Amino acid sequence: MFTTRKQYEPYVSPFDPCAPILVKTYVTPPNLYVGFQPPNLPQFPLHEALKKGTLWKIFYDPYYSPYEMANKGDGQ
Amino acid sequence: MWIYEKKLQYPVRVSTCNPKLAKYLIEQYGGADGELAAALRYLNQRYSIPDKVIGLLTDIGTEELAHLEMIATMVYKLTKDATPEQLKEAGLDAHYVNHDRALFYHNAAGVPWTATYIQAKGDPIADLYEDIAAEEKARATYQWIINMSDDPDLNDGLRFLREREIIHAQRFREAVEILKEERDRKKFF
Ligand SMILES: [Fe+2]
C-alpha cells in the first residue's frame, strides 16, 4: 500500500524572523500509485459513493484542515 | 449538445455568514486552475485528441461545468445578503464597486479570467500532461481554501470537489497509459 501524506524538515536558521515550522507536509494522492485502474477493486455502497465523490475505496483520500483535525481528530 | 439538469451535482450548504470565504472561493471560479478554466480547456482540447480519449475529455469537461455551478452557488450564498460594509470588511469592496453582488470570472486577487490560462498544444501527450497538472493544482487550491475556512458545511462541499480532482487526475493518467500503449501487445493488469 501507499501513504498519501509526506513530511520533511526544512532548514531552520537561528536568524529566522518568525517562529519556524519544523515539519512541513504535502499530499501525494492515490492517483500517483495506482496506474491504470485494475479490475474488481472494492467499491463503496452507491449512496455513500455519491457523498464521498468516488465509487472506489482506493481513490478516496479526504483532506481536513488543521482546524478541523484539532476539533474532530479524524482525517489523516 | 448538452442536457441541463436543474440541480447541483452535490448539495451546497454554507452555515456561517462569512463573505470573506467568497473572496477565496472565487479563485476556483475565475482563477487559472479554476473550474471555468478546466471546463473550457478540456471541452476545447477534445477536438484534436485521439478518438480513444475524446469521450473522457467531454465527460470531465462537462463535470467541471457542474463544479463551476457549485462554486457559483457558494459564492452567491455568501454574498447575496452582505451589506456594503460587510463586503468591505471581507476585502470585497473593489468587487462591489465594479459588480455589486454579481459574480464575475476573476481570481481571488481580482485578476479577470483569460484564455492564456489554458492551452491546446495539439500534441496529445502535452495536452494530457497539462490536464493532469491542472487537476493537481485544483486539488491543491481546494486544500488551501479548506485550510482558510472554518465552515464545516462549506468544507464538506469543497472536500467533494477536491475528491473529484483526484479522480480526474487518475483518469487523465489512464488516458496517457492508453495512448502510449504499444500496438498488438497484450494488456496486463
Ligand atoms: Fe477537475
Side-chain angles (χ1 to χ4, degrees), chain B residues 35 38 42 60 64 67 134-135 138 161 164-166 168-169 172:
Chain B
E35 303 293 354
Y42 309 147
I60 296 182
E64 304 295 7
H67 295 172
E135 294 296 337
L161 290 168
R164 296 308 300 155
E165 311 296 8
I166 293 176
H168 291 171
F172 284 134

Side-chain angles (χ1 to χ4, degrees), chain B residues 45 48-49 119-132:
Chain B
Q45 287 176 352
S48 49
I49 204 128
Q119 182 55 284
K121 194 50 75 176
D123 178 274
I125 299 302
D127 283 348
L128 285 170
Y129 270 68
E130 174 185 332
D131 302 346
I132 294 166

